[in-house]
Amino acid sequence: TRTAKRVACVGDSITRGYGASSPATNYPSLLYHLLNLESHHIDVKNYGDCGTTAMKKNHYHEGSYWNSRMHRWSLEWLPDVVIIMLGTNDSKYKNWNEETYRKDLQDLVQKYLDLLSHPKVFLMIPPRVEPTESLKKMQIDAKVVRESLPPSIRYVAERTNGTQVIDLSTIFQDPNHPYRVFK
């Protein structure tokens, strides 16, 4: 019998910690330490995989989360809670297809809901991104992240039993400039 509750953080480079000053400052690590989850016998694991999409097929070399070892490992771990944040790479110019994104994300949520551990699933709306040169090079569409991902993620949450939304879309937004975000 397991005594610790298991929280799986599923996602792309934002979850993995790309840009964080150290592995201890990615959001799964911060979640664990800031909420003092160790004292509550809760284990948090980072299953972020850089560059991946919720869509099963994409047009870039990074690939789909569906085909990643992180996905496989997260399922095998049988988590009690799953926090999913995928969509930023789906927004890339050659990838974005709202209908496909919604269907594949819903299938992914259902795959976790069907686990023997019957986890509680949360979908996170990723933070907005600023249309910078760096973003252009990565081919991420800031408008899709800002305008299409939030309603698509809410749509999936409404159609998957008990899935809740954590909205990070405006958390770093400059209130005086809607298209500017803080680091």
Side-chain angles (χ1 to χ4, degrees):
T1 311
R2 295 188 326 208
T3 56
K5 292 281 186 189
R6 298 173 176 197
V7 178
C9 297
V10 168
D12 53 30
S13 59
I14 298 170
T15 301
R16 187 87 227 137
Y18 177 79
S21 58
S22 75
T25 61
N26 62 38
Y27 100 76
S29 294
L30 292 173
L31 174 71
Y32 179 75
H33 293 294
L34 290 173
L35 298 179
N36 195 22
L37 296 180
E38 183 177 16
S39 68
H40 298 290
H41 304 289
I42 298 174
D43 193 12
V44 177
K45 286 207 178 174
N46 186 339
Y47 290 104
D49 197 5
C50 297
T52 56
T53 62
M55 290 191 287
K56 294 173 184 173
K57 293 182 181 173
N58 64 49
H59 300 285
Y60 292 89
H61 71 278
E62 294 98 338
S64 169
Y65 194 80
W66 285 87
N67 301 324
S68 75
R69 66 177 191 250
M70 291 296 186
H71 178 229
R72 187 179 70 252
W73 292 344
S74 71
L75 294 168
E76 291 169 356
W77 195 48
L78 293 174
D80 301 295
V81 174
V82 179
I83 303 170
I84 302 170
M85 183 166 48
L86 286 164
T88 305
N89 294 308
D90 297 88
S91 79
K92 290 181 178 184
Y93 301 112
K94 292 180 188 176
N95 282 343
W96 184 246
N97 179 303
E98 190 167 32
E99 185 178 327
T100 303
Y101 174 76
R102 286 179 176 193
K103 182 196 175 309
D104 290 353
L105 182 61
Q106 186 169 335
D107 288 350
L108 184 66
V109 169
Q110 195 60 54
K111 192 159 187 166
Y112 285 103
L113 289 172
D114 290 343
L115 288 172
L116 292 175
S117 58
H118 305 291
K120 176 80 175 151
V121 177
F122 293 87
L123 283 173
M124 288 204 322
I125 299 172
R128 290 183 182 178
V129 293
E130 196 168 330
T132 62
E133 279 304 310
S134 175
L135 210 63
K136 239 184 246 184
K137 286 179 185 173
M138 290 188 283
Q139 301 185 355
I140 292 171
D141 189 333
K143 184 176 180 183
V144 169
V145 173
R146 183 178 62 251
E147 296 176 12
S148 300
L149 284 181
S152 291
I153 291 168
R154 285 189 180 91
Y155 174 91
V156 170
E158 290 170 5
R159 282 154 184 77
T160 48
N161 189 22
T163 302
Q164 295 190 13
V165 173
I166 300 169
D167 189 348
L168 301 180
S169 65
T170 59
I171 196 164
F172 300 110
Q173 182 180 336
D174 180 341
N176 300 315
H177 303 281
Y179 296 107
R180 188 165 64 195
V181 294
F182 298 115
K183 285 187 174 187

